[in-house]
Amino acid sequence: MTVIGGRPALRAGRRKDGTWPDLAPGMRDHDRMDTRFLGIAELAEAPSAAVVVDVMRAFTVAAWAFARGAEKIVLAESLDEALALKARHPDWVAIKDGPPATGFDTVNSPGLLRSADLGGRTVVQKTTAGTVGALAVKEASLVLCAGFVVAEATARLLRTRECGSVTFVVTGDDGRADEDLACAQYIARRATGAGADASEFLGRAGESRAAAELAEGVRQGAHPDDVALCLELDRFPFAMVAAVEDSFMVLRPCAVPPPTGDAST
């Protein structure tokens, strides 16, 4: 049970194995999607398709990097690897969590990144949860990285690929981060074509511990606008696909055609 705004929010219907049998009662059989919502430590095997969610802030930052012109993002396994890549490629842009540090160009903050000129450049990103989650499912046939800013594009890509089984990786707070779970549940509903009141999910994210810590300055390397930027629904029209390239997990934007005659929108 999770407490939201002073009231308990029951996660009704979840199976013991983490799956949700029917996110939208009344859906047609071919619209159903078997979904799991797991923390990084709960991943026992490579899923067929995975959506790795880090709202505050890794994949909001990644989306902003692409919006500012970045060509690709290399997801580093460690700070040392990120620094080594930066040393070999001085023109790359290295990003980390927390306060500024020698060797890194900037920190994991959408508010700080939104004015950067990244045209055609490669970004190296290492964060506490988001990049770790993506690397944990690198064997999956499809890996998407997401936050609210690319929610609808992510859902549309899942529909386009006709994914019958999807694992949503809730990266924050050992799988308990409500901002990530709320975003994952929202994307799952939209991926099945179900209607969803976005304000409910955004409200949960806005009342999460991560949002409070960012707003109160508990987390270093933050900008005052970070929470608001992380809660901008569908700010960007692309999804973000991660795949192994030359032994590195690389994230790239993926254009998703707008729906035509889609009754779910």
Side-chain angles (χ1 to χ4, degrees), residues 4-256:
I4 302 169
R7 61 181 176 82
L10 294 177
R11 299 174 184 176
R14 184 171 179 173
R15 301 190 187 106
K16 291 182 179 179
D17 66 356
T19 63
W20 293 70
D22 196 347
L23 282 174
M27 291 187 302
R28 297 164 297 177
D29 287 342
H30 62 272
D31 287 333
R32 295 178 188 272
M33 178 183 292
D34 185 34
T35 54
R36 295 169 179 259
F37 300 84
L38 302 176
I40 297 171
E42 297 175 293
L43 294 164
E45 58 187 23
S48 58
V51 178
V52 187
V53 181
D54 190 327
V55 173
M56 298 184 186
R57 294 162 285 173
F59 298 137
T60 301
V61 166
W64 269 102
F66 291 130
R68 300 302 302 165
E71 177 185 354
K72 64 182 179 181
I73 299 175
V74 178
L75 305 178
E77 293 190 2
S78 66
L79 294 175
D80 286 343
E81 181 179 74
L83 287 172
L85 287 168
K86 172 69 177 179
R88 291 204 299 270
H89 306 279
D91 59 323
W92 287 13
V93 178
I95 297 176
K96 65 176 284 293
D97 272 340
T102 301
F104 287 88
D105 298 282
T106 187
V107 294
N108 192 48
S109 162
L112 295 173
L113 197 69
R114 61 182 166 177
S115 60
D117 180 5
L118 301 177
R121 300 181 73 181
T122 294
V123 171
V124 180
Q125 187 181 34
K126 171 65 179 89
T127 70
T128 305
T131 59
V132 175
L135 289 163
V137 293
K138 64 182 179 181
E139 302 300 328
S141 58
L142 175 66
V143 179
L144 305 180
C145 296
F148 281 110
V149 292
V150 294
E152 187 60 28
T154 303
R156 288 207 307 270
L157 186 55
L158 290 173
R159 293 202 300 269
T160 300
R161 298 289 182 93
E162 297 182 346
C163 297
S165 176
V166 180
T167 295
F168 288 86
V169 183
V170 180
T171 61
D173 197 17
D174 296 324
R176 296 186 299 272
D178 204 38
E179 73 279 5
D180 293 340
L181 180 60
C183 183
Q185 290 172 334
Y186 177 74
I187 293 172
R189 290 188 65 89
R190 295 299 298 149
T192 60
D197 180 3
S199 63
E200 172 192 345
F201 299 92
L202 290 168
R204 285 169 53 190
E207 294 175 4
S208 66
R209 185 173 76 174
E213 289 179 351
L214 284 171
E216 294 166 5
V218 174
R219 298 191 180 189
Q220 294 181 291
H223 185 278
D225 293 340
D226 278 356
V227 173
L229 292 172
C230 290
L231 299 180
E232 285 190 316
L233 184 67
D234 303 329
R235 172 71 186 249
F236 305 113
F238 52 80
M240 299 186 293
V241 181
V244 177
E245 300 181 18
D246 298 325
S247 78
F248 293 108
M249 194 66 166
V250 176
L251 188 63
R252 294 181 183 272
C254 177
V256 184

